[in-house]
Amino acid sequence: MNEGPTNTDFEAIYENYKQQGELQAVQEQSQDAATDGLESIVAVRKNDDGDIIAVKTSSGRELDYVSALNEAKSGALAHVDVFHRYGRDILRSEPDGVKSNNLDQLPPF
């Protein structure tokens, strides 16, 4: 009798799939940034509540949150989106499945 994969096999297969997807997303982001010439956000500064109040770009510029929002809206920053919620605009990393490049996960400066 031919038995199918066990639950453990399903989990291992799915974890491998997620890891491959994360690697692919990182590679695609690196290629996109190199070809489009846009700056990306590489570090963040947070206040005591854990809110991002400033960002540092790949060229070393330090932007306050509102300036970063405006640059993202104009398309000058790579791999970020602006969406409207809670009555205000909010900056976030593009949803790409890679947790390490989420704005909240970036190193402080």
Side-chain angles (χ1 to χ4, degrees), residues 14 45 50 75 91 106:
Y14 184 72
R45 180 165 294 155
L91 184 67
L106 293 177

Side-chain angles (χ1 to χ4, degrees), residues 57-93:
T57 69
S58 53
S59 71
R61 293 189 309 138
E62 296 178 1
L63 304 171
D64 63 79
Y65 191 80
V66 174
S67 296
L69 275 171
N70 289 332
E71 289 207 17
K73 286 181 195 178
S74 71
L77 292 175
H79 311 299
V80 291
D81 292 324
V82 176
F83 69 103
H84 194 79
R85 184 175 273 166
Y86 313 118
R88 64 183 191 270
D89 288 332
I90 298 173
L91 184 67
R92 73 173 192 173
S93 57

